[in-house]
Amino acid sequence: MKRLTACMIILTVIASMSVLSVWAVKRENDRFISLVNAAESSYRQESDDMNERLEELEKGWKKYYTRVSYIAQSCTLDDISYAVAKLPALLEKGSEEFLSECESIRSWTEKIYNTQYPHLYSVF
């Protein structure tokens, strides 16, 4: 009976940690994507506050990286780091690649969420 109780406790802890990690990644993704969207809309509108938006995006990225790096794969996070680092240079050039990098950042953050979501085929 003690073994059964111990197994139930272990399974409950594993399931709880899984749900908590998915919830944390989703929350962080939503916050970070809102910063990416704000920077992209400022770029499209050729707004004066574009530099401020990029600074907010870089600060948001540092927070996101710190929180999600415990959960997600580092190669995807590295890709996002490179894209965020390229944004100021693309802004200075006025390149349309700025928008494609923002789209790439969004797709990579969604990839992080999708890889953390516990699908039945990935559990078994």
Side-chain angles (χ1 to χ4, degrees):
M1 191 66 174
K2 291 180 185 180
R3 290 181 189 167
L4 181 63
T5 304
C7 288
M8 295 302 287
I9 291 172
I10 291 170
L11 288 175
T12 303
V13 169
I14 290 171
S16 301
M17 293 301 291
S18 175
V19 168
L20 182 64
S21 70
V22 168
W23 177 76
V25 169
K26 180 67 174 160
R27 186 186 69 198
E28 293 302 320
N29 273 5
D30 290 343
R31 288 181 187 170
F32 184 63
I33 289 175
S34 70
L35 293 174
V36 172
N37 290 338
E40 186 177 14
S41 66
S42 291
Y43 180 81
R44 288 181 193 268
Q45 298 170 358
E46 297 177 6
S47 171
D48 294 335
D49 66 344
M50 190 61 216
N51 289 327
E52 294 173 15
R53 296 283 181 224
L54 275 181
E55 288 177 18
E56 290 174 5
L57 179 63
E58 289 172 350
K59 288 178 186 176
W61 168 244
K62 289 177 184 175
K63 289 179 185 177
Y64 180 87
Y65 184 84
T66 302
R67 293 176 179 157
V68 176
S69 64
Y70 294 108
I71 300 169
Q73 297 175 349
S74 64
C75 61
T76 308
L77 293 173
D78 290 341
D79 292 337
I80 298 172
S81 290
Y82 298 141
V84 169
K86 286 194 287 187
L87 290 179
L90 293 173
L91 178 63
E92 285 180 20
K93 289 181 184 178
S95 175
E96 288 298 316
E97 279 189 51
F98 184 89
L99 299 174
S100 66
E101 287 298 323
C102 290
E103 183 61 35
S104 296
I105 291 169
R106 275 195 295 277
S107 67
W108 283 319
T109 54
E110 288 300 317
K111 178 182 176 185
I112 290 172
Y113 174 73
N114 290 333
T115 58
Q116 295 305 312
Y117 196 82
H119 299 284
L120 189 59
Y121 62 84
S122 65
V123 173
F124 292 110

